[in-house]
Amino acid sequence: MVQNKKMPLEEFLEIRKEILNQWKTGDHPGLDLNVAVEKLKSLPKEKNFAYVLRQAKAEGITLVQPRAGVARISEHIELLQFLQDEGKADFLPSTIDSYTRHNRYSNAEDGINESEKQGRSLLNGFPAVNHGVDGCSRVLDSIKVPLQARHGTPDARLLSEIIHASGWTSNEGGGISYNIPYAKKISLEDTIKYWQYCDRLVGYYGEHGIELNREPYGPLTGTLVPPCISNTIAIVESILAAEQGVKNITVGYGQGGNMIQDIAALRALEEQTNHYLKIFGYEDIFVTTVFHQWMGGFPSDESEAMALIGYASTVAALGKATKMITKTTHESFGIPTKEANAKGLRTSRYITKILKDQVIAESVELTDEIEQIKKEVDSLMHAIVKVGKGDIAQGIVNAIKNGVVDVPFAPSELNAGKILPARDIDGKIRILEFGNLGLTEEIKAFHNQKLEERAIKQNRKAEIQMVIDDIYAVSNGNLVGVKGE
Ligand code: 5AD
């Protein structure tokens, strides 16, 4: 049974021996924890994710980070240098390929060899485990900014070992957020344990004077996710991470589309993450937020795509997110070229810079929305604690199993998949079908009323067709779905 309990050092070190045996790069001398601690200690602070986030938070600015990853080290370095120099990225990523995400390292090896032969990347990301500590260290040595692994890996234990030992100071993911939206039937208890290990590793480094950043994956399925659901999962993963000793956490949220709701969601997320961490007994955790530019279907027209990127940047800046993950005009086609990637970054950075001293006026609409989201998150958190009989890890496992927490459009068979979201007439994401979601009757009545208002204004029924229209709306240039468009 999984529990929210710090993994004892001996147990961690015992599991660690097995993990390092999973692939041949696991026997690298750099994976000796004493060596890794020294390496991380010797990094300049400008290359430490946790440090740069603290600086940005103090200045109240929004920093930009792309996604990027290719198979070969030399090409990956060229790509990252381009995004740093031409794209002016504040943080760099290495997006990990799908084979590595599924622990299929020998397939990744074939992919690297074939990519070398053909002189181009045949993998959809950077296979960090195969490149090992030597390769990953070379990547870090070639750039000037902090580096993070971004992936979608249910069991990222070996990957996490290798990246941190290579000086990469942040890791994205979590036991829930890298399972339910990414896997079909991997046990949630298992992925929570795997991620407790990844967090325990960060805790170990923390005990040795090194602050590493962790980022639960906020957007989940990226499509019409009600803020209360993604915020609740981010809070739960923050608590699980804090228990293992993580001190620097960036909680994420994916753009929903309505500016007021998005700003409200970001504020509620930061305030409630801090609040719940304290309530659960974790006092000294440094929390920042990351805003993801639109994660749903993108317009194929490049001007429209760039406009959406600009809109997202506006919301991130006004929402005072500390970091923003950028998109590109190639989003609807596939993996972007480095030029398109840099353009998305520069557009984004220009807007966040120009808006950095501007503050959105407080309004009744904004404060009401913040209160609404907080009320919903409180209701879900309460329900999770209840079904976990006081344990948050057991609670989230049970809550997902019985639909008390339900992620819309998730591929996982473990997820109830009974809820249906839809937009209200302002474009705010509400809930049409609740399934077994742990919300109070008062909250449900509010959502019903909001969707009924839209139904009347659009002269249609609040039903599944509304959901379908909303899914396609943004790629067609609308926010609220229109029948037949
Ligand atoms: N390089 C750049 N972007 C990537 N994405 C996935 N893999 C890569 C990669 N190797 C992006 C997709 C989508 C998001 C989920 O990640 O384009 O925007």
Side-chain angles (χ1 to χ4, degrees):
M1 197 175 80
V2 66
Q3 276 186 316
N4 182 35
K5 208 159 175 355
K6 186 165 185 178
M7 195 184 290
L9 183 61
E10 308 70 56
E11 186 186 329
F12 168 72
L13 294 174
E14 209 43 51
I15 301 174
R16 190 168 192 269
K17 285 187 208 149
E18 277 169 44
I19 298 301
L20 297 187
N21 260 321
Q22 285 176 349
W23 185 250
K24 51 195 172 196
T25 50
D27 70 0
H28 192 281
L31 283 160
D32 179 304
L33 281 167
N34 297 320
V35 176
V37 163
E38 286 317 307
K39 174 169 190 142
L40 282 160
K41 275 194 179 155
S42 71
L43 282 185
K45 56 187 190 312
E46 305 76 42
K47 276 176 132 173
N48 183 303
F49 232 97
Y51 173 82
V52 176
L53 283 165
R54 282 182 184 270
Q55 296 295 106
K57 178 81 179 151
E59 287 176 51
I61 54 174
T62 304
L63 300 181
V64 293
Q65 181 181 12
R67 294 186 177 87
V70 287
R72 294 174 302 156
I73 296 179
S74 56
E75 192 189 348
H76 189 59
I77 289 175
E78 201 182 300
L79 170 62
L80 294 190
Q81 287 178 338
F82 190 85
L83 297 174
Q84 168 187 277
D85 300 336
E86 301 296 320
K88 301 192 175 120
D90 298 298
F91 297 111
L92 284 168
S94 291
T95 301
I96 306 300
D97 70 292
S98 297
Y99 285 134
T100 304
R101 294 179 189 201
H102 290 100
N103 313 95
R104 291 168 58 177
Y105 309 123
S106 70
N107 292 121
E109 182 117 311
D110 294 343
I112 297 169
N113 292 337
E114 200 50 38
S115 301
E116 292 289 356
K117 263 192 226 150
Q118 297 198 20
R120 66 188 177 97
S121 180
L122 294 172
L123 296 176
N124 63 356
F126 181 76
V129 168
N130 292 66
H131 289 315
V133 172
D134 283 334
C136 293
S137 299
R138 252 181 76 198
V139 174
L140 183 76
D141 290 343
S142 311
I143 57 171
K144 302 182 195 121
V145 300
L147 186 56
Q148 179 189 42
R150 303 191 64 87
H151 38 124
T153 310
D155 179 2
R157 292 175 293 177
L158 181 55
L159 173 65
S160 305
E161 288 283 0
I162 288 175
I163 60 147
H164 293 317
S166 305
W168 301 18
T169 45
S170 179
N171 193 13
E172 191 195 32
I176 306 124
S177 63
Y178 269 8
N179 179 338
I180 303 301
Y182 283 100
K184 236 176 144 171
K185 48 182 171 195
I186 299 180
S187 143
L188 191 57
E189 296 225 351
D190 287 350
T191 55
I192 290 176
K193 284 181 193 161
Y194 301 154
W195 278 93
Q196 283 177 322
Y197 178 97
C198 299
D199 288 330
R200 186 64 185 81
L201 175 64
V202 171
Y204 178 90
Y205 284 120
E207 289 156 11
H208 293 79
I210 297 148
E211 190 178 21
L212 300 179
N213 170 256
R214 280 274 297 112
E215 180 185 333
Y217 174 62
L220 302 176
T221 51
T223 303
L224 292 176
V225 179
C228 65
I229 292 173
S230 48
N231 283 10
T232 298
I233 291 176
I235 292 167
V236 170
E237 289 191 350
S238 298
I239 292 169
L240 295 174
E243 173 66 25
Q244 301 304 323
V246 177
K247 303 284 187 199
N248 190 300
I249 300 176
T250 304
V251 277
Y253 171 78
Q255 180 181 23
N258 173 285
M259 170 146 21
I260 296 293
Q261 187 177 45
D262 285 337
I263 293 171
L266 275 169
R267 284 215 206 155
L269 177 60
E270 183 171 342
E271 288 171 23
Q272 285 186 306
T273 304
N274 280 310
H275 169 77
Y276 277 103
L277 281 168
K278 284 210 180 73
I279 286 194
F280 278 75
Y282 311 105
E283 285 288 345
D284 49 353
I285 317 291
F286 183 74
V287 174
T288 46
T289 57
V290 52
F291 187 75
H292 290 250
Q293 295 185 348
W294 186 250
M295 293 293 285
F298 243 74
S300 54
D301 179 275
E302 295 205 2
S303 302
E304 291 177 7
M306 200 56 104
L308 185 53
I309 287 167
Y311 174 40
S313 305
T314 307
V315 178
L318 294 177
K320 295 273 169 220
T322 303
K323 187 174 89 169
M324 171 170 57
I325 303 294
T326 61
K327 285 271 179 168
T328 74
T329 58
H330 289 183
E331 177 60 25
S332 77
F333 311 109
I335 289 176
T337 60
K338 62 182 191 307
E339 289 79 13
N341 211 335
K343 279 184 185 165
L345 274 166
R346 285 217 307 279
T347 302
S348 302
R349 188 171 185 274
Y350 184 84
I351 294 177
T352 51
K353 263 188 82 192
I354 225 165
L355 283 171
K356 81 177 169 41
D357 301 311
Q358 299 189 42
V359 188
I360 192 158
E362 293 298 329
S363 65
V364 174
E365 186 186 354
L366 180 59
T367 50
D368 279 359
E369 191 61 28
I370 295 173
E371 285 318 304
Q372 182 63 33
I373 295 169
K374 284 187 171 178
K375 209 191 291 179
E376 294 170 7
V377 168
D378 287 338
S379 181
L380 292 174
M381 288 296 293
H382 186 84
I384 293 168
V385 171
K386 195 168 158 198
V387 297
K389 301 198 166 66
D391 184 86
I392 195 85
Q394 201 53 53
I396 193 68
V397 170
N398 293 339
I400 297 268
K401 197 185 292 167
N402 59 28
V404 163
V405 172
D406 196 350
V407 178
F409 315 116
S412 175
E413 290 170 10
L414 311 174
N415 187 65
K418 290 215 171 88
I419 74 158
L420 280 179
R423 293 187 189 280
D424 69 14
I425 195 67
D426 308 326
K428 298 192 181 90
I429 299 169
R430 307 295 183 198
I431 301 164
L432 175 67
E433 296 281 350
F434 300 95
N436 196 32
L437 213 52
L439 296 175
T440 63
E441 291 309 313
E442 182 204 339
I443 293 168
K444 290 183 192 173
F446 170 83
H447 285 256
N448 285 336
Q449 181 211 326
K450 285 287 168 187
L451 291 177
E452 205 37 56
E453 276 170 25
R454 168 177 169 192
I456 292 166
K457 283 223 170 101
Q458 284 191 327
N459 191 24
R460 64 187 298 182
K461 281 207 185 102
E463 58 178 11
I464 185 138
Q465 190 58 43
M466 210 180 232
V467 182
I468 296 166
D469 293 338
D470 285 352
I471 291 172
Y472 293 106
V474 168
S475 55
N476 294 332
N478 294 313
L479 180 56
V480 182
V482 179
K483 222 174 172 173
E485 245 183 62

Tab-separated table of all heavy atoms in Angstrom, residues 67-70 79 95-96 101 123-126 182 217 294-295 326-328 330-331 334-336 341, ligand 1:
chain	number	residue	atom	x	y	z
A	67	ARG	N	10.014	23.743	-25.395
A	67	ARG	CA	10.232	22.290	-25.371
A	67	ARG	C	11.170	21.986	-26.533
A	67	ARG	O	11.047	22.616	-27.582
A	67	ARG	CB	8.924	21.528	-25.588
A	67	ARG	CG	7.914	21.703	-24.478
A	67	ARG	CD	6.714	20.799	-24.726
A	67	ARG	NE	5.745	20.872	-23.647
A	67	ARG	CZ	4.768	21.773	-23.573
A	67	ARG	NH1	4.611	22.680	-24.532
A	67	ARG	NH2	3.930	21.781	-22.558
A	68	ALA	N	12.054	21.028	-26.381
A	68	ALA	CA	12.977	20.689	-27.464
A	68	ALA	C	13.744	19.426	-27.131
A	68	ALA	O	14.163	19.240	-25.989
A	68	ALA	CB	13.978	21.822	-27.688
A	69	GLY	N	13.922	18.593	-28.138
A	69	GLY	CA	14.739	17.400	-27.937
A	69	GLY	C	14.907	16.623	-29.226
A	69	GLY	O	13.939	16.419	-29.952
A	70	VAL	N	16.151	16.230	-29.535
A	70	VAL	CA	16.432	15.359	-30.682
A	70	VAL	C	17.359	14.224	-30.236
A	70	VAL	O	17.905	14.264	-29.129
A	70	VAL	CB	17.064	16.145	-31.859
A	70	VAL	CG1	16.041	17.039	-32.552
A	70	VAL	CG2	18.262	16.951	-31.393
A	79	LEU	N	20.713	22.642	-31.156
A	79	LEU	CA	19.325	23.086	-30.966
A	79	LEU	C	19.195	23.949	-29.709
A	79	LEU	O	18.621	25.046	-29.736
A	79	LEU	CB	18.418	21.841	-30.883
A	79	LEU	CG	16.965	22.003	-30.468
A	79	LEU	CD1	16.205	22.874	-31.458
A	79	LEU	CD2	16.275	20.623	-30.375
A	95	THR	N	13.431	17.622	-23.927
A	95	THR	CA	12.224	16.813	-24.051
A	95	THR	C	12.683	15.396	-24.376
A	95	THR	O	13.459	15.180	-25.302
A	95	THR	CB	11.319	17.376	-25.165
A	95	THR	OG1	11.001	18.724	-24.834
A	95	THR	CG2	10.050	16.559	-25.314
A	96	ILE	N	12.235	14.461	-23.578
A	96	ILE	CA	12.714	13.080	-23.676
A	96	ILE	C	11.860	12.288	-24.674
A	96	ILE	O	10.641	12.474	-24.730
A	96	ILE	CB	12.680	12.424	-22.263
A	96	ILE	CG1	13.450	13.279	-21.225
A	96	ILE	CG2	13.169	10.984	-22.299
A	96	ILE	CD1	14.920	13.508	-21.527
A	101	ARG	N	10.703	7.239	-22.322
A	101	ARG	CA	9.570	7.428	-21.413
A	101	ARG	C	8.956	6.083	-21.007
A	101	ARG	O	8.359	5.964	-19.956
A	101	ARG	CB	8.486	8.278	-22.086
A	101	ARG	CG	8.911	9.703	-22.350
A	101	ARG	CD	7.793	10.465	-23.028
A	101	ARG	NE	8.248	11.784	-23.478
A	101	ARG	CZ	7.426	12.800	-23.720
A	101	ARG	NH1	6.122	12.660	-23.541
A	101	ARG	NH2	7.895	13.945	-24.133
A	123	LEU	N	14.202	9.987	-33.456
A	123	LEU	CA	13.465	9.889	-32.194
A	123	LEU	C	12.749	11.221	-31.962
A	123	LEU	O	13.169	12.253	-32.471
A	123	LEU	CB	14.418	9.604	-31.026
A	123	LEU	CG	15.174	8.269	-31.063
A	123	LEU	CD1	16.152	8.185	-29.887
A	123	LEU	CD2	14.198	7.087	-31.017
A	124	ASN	N	11.667	11.165	-31.161
A	124	ASN	CA	10.917	12.403	-30.944
A	124	ASN	C	11.387	13.168	-29.702
A	124	ASN	O	10.667	14.005	-29.171
A	124	ASN	CB	9.411	12.115	-30.885
A	124	ASN	CG	9.033	11.219	-29.731
A	124	ASN	OD1	9.898	10.733	-29.004
A	124	ASN	ND2	7.746	10.986	-29.546
A	125	GLY	N	12.587	12.875	-29.255
A	125	GLY	CA	13.140	13.607	-28.124
A	125	GLY	C	14.555	13.142	-27.851
A	125	GLY	O	15.143	12.368	-28.637
A	126	PHE	N	15.089	13.593	-26.717
A	126	PHE	CA	16.476	13.303	-26.350
A	126	PHE	C	16.532	12.080	-25.433
A	126	PHE	O	15.970	12.115	-24.323
A	126	PHE	CB	17.058	14.536	-25.643
A	126	PHE	CG	18.495	14.382	-25.237
A	126	PHE	CD1	19.509	14.468	-26.176
A	126	PHE	CD2	18.840	14.157	-23.904
A	126	PHE	CE1	20.851	14.339	-25.800
A	126	PHE	CE2	20.167	14.022	-23.520
A	126	PHE	CZ	21.173	14.113	-24.465
A	182	TYR	N	-0.919	9.920	-19.524
A	182	TYR	CA	0.119	9.364	-20.392
A	182	TYR	C	0.059	7.855	-20.586
A	182	TYR	O	0.605	7.337	-21.548
A	182	TYR	CB	1.508	9.720	-19.832
A	182	TYR	CG	1.910	11.153	-20.097
A	182	TYR	CD1	1.799	12.139	-19.122
A	182	TYR	CD2	2.411	11.521	-21.345
A	182	TYR	CE1	2.162	13.456	-19.381
A	182	TYR	CE2	2.779	12.830	-21.603
A	182	TYR	CZ	2.656	13.791	-20.630
A	182	TYR	OH	3.013	15.078	-20.889
A	217	TYR	N	3.394	18.052	-13.399
A	217	TYR	CA	2.904	18.425	-14.733
A	217	TYR	C	1.457	18.911	-14.642
A	217	TYR	O	0.533	18.118	-14.420
A	217	TYR	CB	3.036	17.236	-15.685
A	217	TYR	CG	2.425	17.498	-17.032
A	217	TYR	CD1	2.918	18.516	-17.853
A	217	TYR	CD2	1.346	16.762	-17.494
A	217	TYR	CE1	2.335	18.784	-19.072
A	217	TYR	CE2	0.767	17.021	-18.729
A	217	TYR	CZ	1.267	18.031	-19.506
A	217	TYR	OH	0.689	18.300	-20.726
A	294	TRP	N	-1.437	27.422	-24.576
A	294	TRP	CA	-2.513	26.536	-25.050
A	294	TRP	C	-2.058	25.108	-25.385
A	294	TRP	O	-1.215	24.907	-26.255
A	294	TRP	CB	-3.160	27.181	-26.288
A	294	TRP	CG	-4.350	26.452	-26.793
A	294	TRP	CD1	-4.442	25.734	-27.960
A	294	TRP	CD2	-5.627	26.358	-26.161
A	294	TRP	NE1	-5.689	25.187	-28.080
A	294	TRP	CE2	-6.437	25.560	-26.994
A	294	TRP	CE3	-6.161	26.852	-24.956
A	294	TRP	CZ2	-7.761	25.254	-26.667
A	294	TRP	CZ3	-7.473	26.547	-24.639
A	294	TRP	CH2	-8.252	25.757	-25.488
A	295	MET	N	-2.621	24.125	-24.671
A	295	MET	CA	-2.227	22.722	-24.840
A	295	MET	C	-3.242	21.935	-25.668
A	295	MET	O	-3.077	20.735	-25.897
A	295	MET	CB	-2.061	22.056	-23.471
A	295	MET	CG	-0.903	22.599	-22.646
A	295	MET	SD	0.703	22.232	-23.355
A	295	MET	CE	0.847	20.486	-22.944
A	326	THR	N	6.450	27.658	-23.741
A	326	THR	CA	5.991	28.239	-25.002
A	326	THR	C	5.639	27.177	-26.038
A	326	THR	O	6.103	26.042	-25.988
A	326	THR	CB	7.073	29.172	-25.583
A	326	THR	OG1	8.259	28.403	-25.840
A	326	THR	CG2	7.402	30.298	-24.618
A	327	LYS	N	4.815	27.604	-26.986
A	327	LYS	CA	4.443	26.764	-28.136
A	327	LYS	C	5.039	27.372	-29.392
A	327	LYS	O	5.694	28.417	-29.344
A	327	LYS	CB	2.919	26.710	-28.236
A	327	LYS	CG	2.295	25.809	-27.193
A	327	LYS	CD	2.187	24.387	-27.695
A	327	LYS	CE	1.585	23.509	-26.622
A	327	LYS	NZ	1.207	22.192	-27.143
A	328	THR	N	4.759	26.767	-30.513
A	328	THR	CA	5.286	27.273	-31.784
A	328	THR	C	4.177	27.243	-32.840
A	328	THR	O	3.138	26.586	-32.653
A	328	THR	CB	6.437	26.400	-32.311
A	328	THR	OG1	5.884	25.188	-32.819
A	328	THR	CG2	7.436	26.071	-31.215
A	330	HIS	N	4.306	25.710	-35.424
A	330	HIS	CA	4.286	24.373	-36.038
A	330	HIS	C	3.459	23.372	-35.232
A	330	HIS	O	3.414	22.197	-35.579
A	330	HIS	CB	5.723	23.828	-36.175
A	330	HIS	CG	6.520	24.537	-37.228
A	330	HIS	ND1	7.805	24.179	-37.559
A	330	HIS	CD2	6.208	25.583	-38.037
A	330	HIS	CE1	8.257	24.977	-38.518
A	330	HIS	NE2	7.307	25.840	-38.819
A	331	GLU	N	2.850	23.851	-34.164
A	331	GLU	CA	2.200	22.931	-33.233
A	331	GLU	C	1.228	21.965	-33.910
A	331	GLU	O	1.199	20.782	-33.577
A	331	GLU	CB	1.478	23.725	-32.127
A	331	GLU	CG	0.705	22.883	-31.131
A	331	GLU	CD	1.577	21.878	-30.363
A	331	GLU	OE1	2.791	22.113	-30.228
A	331	GLU	OE2	1.025	20.862	-29.907
A	334	GLY	N	3.531	19.108	-35.969
A	334	GLY	CA	4.435	18.142	-35.340
A	334	GLY	C	5.540	18.850	-34.598
A	334	GLY	O	5.358	19.963	-34.111
A	335	ILE	N	6.712	18.211	-34.534
A	335	ILE	CA	7.832	18.785	-33.797
A	335	ILE	C	8.383	19.983	-34.578
A	335	ILE	O	8.639	19.886	-35.772
A	335	ILE	CB	8.897	17.699	-33.550
A	335	ILE	CG1	8.336	16.710	-32.506
A	335	ILE	CG2	10.206	18.305	-33.054
A	335	ILE	CD1	9.212	15.543	-32.210
A	336	PRO	N	8.544	21.130	-33.903
A	336	PRO	CA	8.943	22.347	-34.621
A	336	PRO	C	10.405	22.344	-35.041
A	336	PRO	O	11.239	21.693	-34.414
A	336	PRO	CB	8.713	23.437	-33.566
A	336	PRO	CG	8.879	22.742	-32.257
A	336	PRO	CD	8.333	21.357	-32.466
A	341	ASN	N	10.725	27.343	-33.284
A	341	ASN	CA	10.754	27.281	-31.832
A	341	ASN	C	11.281	28.603	-31.252
A	341	ASN	O	10.692	29.182	-30.320
A	341	ASN	CB	11.641	26.102	-31.409
A	341	ASN	CG	11.203	25.463	-30.117
A	341	ASN	OD1	10.558	26.108	-29.290
A	341	ASN	ND2	11.563	24.207	-29.906
B	1	5AD	N1	10.719	19.077	-29.482
B	1	5AD	C1	9.877	20.130	-29.382
B	1	5AD	N2	8.616	20.037	-28.934
B	1	5AD	C2	8.166	18.822	-28.587
B	1	5AD	N3	6.962	18.418	-28.123
B	1	5AD	C3	7.015	17.081	-27.915
B	1	5AD	N4	8.222	16.620	-28.256
B	1	5AD	C4	8.967	17.687	-28.667
B	1	5AD	C5	10.302	17.842	-29.141
B	1	5AD	N5	11.115	16.806	-29.238
B	1	5AD	C6	5.822	19.287	-27.853
B	1	5AD	C7	4.635	19.087	-28.754
B	1	5AD	C8	3.534	19.669	-27.893
B	1	5AD	C9	3.978	19.406	-26.488
B	1	5AD	C10	3.149	18.478	-25.697
B	1	5AD	O1	5.316	18.973	-26.577
B	1	5AD	O2	4.777	19.797	-29.949
B	1	5AD	O3	3.513	21.059	-28.039
